[in-house]
């Protein structure tokens, strides 16, 4: 296996810049695997180990979506600036600027999976395959399931969360402490949390502009602009091989993933039995095996 050294830089996106990193050689014959992170408002850091999938003729592209990480930060922009259309246009721009719009596979994790579903529904000619990882098909479904998961938290935890949410004091230490049991059960079950995950976690903490505007104060209290957004109607328009990934203890519960399975023709679903929201970190070897099998199938097709 020969992998070219990583290259990184920025590409212009209108008056802004999108940071990216390439592992492998974009000039190779195989489709590039483009990694679209979650959030919205997170960074690529927690998905860094997907660079291990760069091998042979396959390269891997990570990028930070505008508003965080190495891309342009805009902390003074109001909520109406941060739209799905903005991030969809940024992804299109990245593909064109890197010269891979004619041959690529998309991996989208959490919010990123919803974003790539929207992208794929337009049937771009160069898209070869789709991996929708730990993503809900709609935020109303996500909130419905989050309530069920919250009701199962240790006694008193959800009551504390609800009290702060009602009072608008979700920026307090007590609220953050009460969030932890949910995150430990349904976001990352590893202890201690991996460094790559913490890197993205602290990036959001240091600049929560996008996360607060579009999502809200926590994974399970979505009161931002995405609270009513769904990609279910986009699913029937997808016409490329599609892999669904989720964890047995995932905050993206089976009920939130099922519409992808129901409406994307030929979709395949892999559930990771020892994982929650981050199977690539919680079960990395099985994750790589599943991904390599799927990517090899895409290459052959």
């Amino acid at each position: 296996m020969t992998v070219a050294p990583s290259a990184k830089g920025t590409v212009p996106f209108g008056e802004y810049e999108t940071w990216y990193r390439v592992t492998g050689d974009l000039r190779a014959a195989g489709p590039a695997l483009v990694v679209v992170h979650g959030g919205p408002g997170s960074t690529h850091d927690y998905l860094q180990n997907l660079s291990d999938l760069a091998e042979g003729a396959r390269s891997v592209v990570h990028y930070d979506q505008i508003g965080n990480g190495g891309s342009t930060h805009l902390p003074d922009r109001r909520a109406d600036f941060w739209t799905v259309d903005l991030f969809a246009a940024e992804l299109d721009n990245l593909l064109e600027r890197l010269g891979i719009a004619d041959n690529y596979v998309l991996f989208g994790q959490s919010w990123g999976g919803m974003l790539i579903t929207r992208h794929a529904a337009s049937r771009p000619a160069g898209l070869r395959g789709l991996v929708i990882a730990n993503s809900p098909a709609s935020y109303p479904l996500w909130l419905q399931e989050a309530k069920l998961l919250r009701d199962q938290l240790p006694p008193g935890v959800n009551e504390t969360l609800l009290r702060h949410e009602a009072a608008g004091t979700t920026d307090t230490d007590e609220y953050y402490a009460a969030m932890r049991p949910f995150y430990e059960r349904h976001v990352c079950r590893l202890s201690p949390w991996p460094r790559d995950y913490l890197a993205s976690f602290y990036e959001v903490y240091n600049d929560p502009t996008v996360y607060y505007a579009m999502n809200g104060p926590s994974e399970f209290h979505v009161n931002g602009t995405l609270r009513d957004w769904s990609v279910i109607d986009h699913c029937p328009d997808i016409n490329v091989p599609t892999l669904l990934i989720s964890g047995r203890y995932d905050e993206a519960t089976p009920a939130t993933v099922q519409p992808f399975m129901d409406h994307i023709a030929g979709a395949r679903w892999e559930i990771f039995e020892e994982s929650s929201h981050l199977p690539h970190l919680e079960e990395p070897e099985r994750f790589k095996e599943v991904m390599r099998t799927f990517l090899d199938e895409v290459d052959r097709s």
Side-chain angles (χ1 to χ4, degrees):
M1 178 180 73
T2 302
V3 176
S6 293
K8 59 185 178 180
T10 60
V11 296
F13 172 48
E15 58 187 296
Y16 315 117
E17 290 189 330
T18 300
W19 179 94
Y20 71 90
R21 188 188 68 202
V22 177
T23 305
D25 188 349
L26 287 180
R27 299 165 299 180
L33 175 64
V34 180
V35 180
V36 184
H37 65 69
S42 187
T43 63
H44 79 285
D45 300 88
Y46 75 102
L47 293 163
Q48 284 195 89
N49 70 352
L50 270 74
S51 62
D52 293 346
L53 297 171
E55 51 195 10
R58 183 184 306 120
S59 57
V60 175
V61 177
H62 288 83
Y63 76 104
D64 286 336
Q65 295 161 27
I66 183 174
N68 220 328
S71 296
T72 303
H73 288 231
L74 298 161
D76 298 325
R77 294 302 173 102
R78 299 189 317 176
D80 59 1
F81 175 81
W82 304 105
T83 65
V84 174
D85 287 346
L86 174 73
F87 291 99
E90 181 184 35
L91 176 56
D92 291 342
N93 179 73
L94 179 76
L95 297 171
E96 291 290 343
R97 294 280 185 174
L98 294 182
I100 55 175
D102 61 344
N103 193 25
Y104 63 100
V105 173
L106 289 177
F107 175 98
Q109 201 274 339
S110 198
W111 135 266
M114 299 181 76
L115 185 61
I116 68 171
T117 298
R118 182 187 187 277
H119 174 93
S122 67
R123 300 194 174 187
L127 179 62
R128 305 293 177 231
L130 207 62
V131 183
I132 301 171
N134 318 101
S135 302
S138 85
Y139 276 97
L141 272 177
W142 176 271
L143 286 168
Q144 169 187 303
E145 292 296 294
K147 182 182 184 306
L148 298 177
L149 296 177
R150 287 173 60 147
D151 288 343
Q152 298 168 20
L153 292 173
V157 173
N158 197 32
E159 289 76 8
T160 300
L161 294 169
L162 289 169
R163 175 164 48 83
H164 283 287
E165 289 162 5
T169 52
T170 54
D171 58 349
T172 61
D173 289 343
E174 187 179 32
Y175 186 79
Y176 290 139
M179 286 166 47
R180 184 88 185 199
F182 183 96
Y183 280 60
E184 290 175 342
R185 288 185 179 196
H186 303 298
V187 181
C188 184
R189 295 172 68 84
L190 298 176
S191 181
W193 282 346
R195 182 175 62 180
D196 289 353
Y197 172 59
L198 286 172
S200 285
F201 192 89
Y202 287 123
E203 287 275 8
V204 177
Y205 180 83
N206 290 333
D207 187 351
T209 305
V210 183
Y211 189 78
Y212 283 1
M214 298 184 76
N215 187 82
S218 68
E219 292 291 282
F220 45 79
H221 185 51
V222 180
N223 59 5
T225 57
L226 292 180
R227 61 187 176 274
D228 298 318
W229 188 48
S230 170
V231 294
I232 295 175
D233 289 347
H234 292 296
C235 292
D237 295 321
I238 293 173
N239 65 344
V240 294
T242 300
L243 171 65
L244 309 174
I245 287 175
S246 66
R248 178 59 65 191
Y249 306 98
D250 207 327
E251 59 181 338
T253 66
T256 71
V257 179
Q258 190 64 47
F260 291 122
M261 193 68 183
D262 291 341
H263 299 294
I264 299 177
R268 174 179 132 206
W269 189 355
E270 290 281 349
I271 297 177
F272 286 73
E273 295 295 336
E274 303 301 324
S275 295
S276 54
H277 200 51
L278 305 173
H280 64 284
L281 294 176
E282 295 166 290
E283 295 181 68
E285 295 310 314
R286 180 167 177 246
F287 173 83
K288 289 173 195 172
E289 178 185 347
V290 168
M291 284 292 297
R292 286 184 176 120
T293 297
F294 175 74
L295 292 170
D296 287 346
E297 290 170 359
V298 169
D299 289 348
R300 289 194 295 272
S301 67

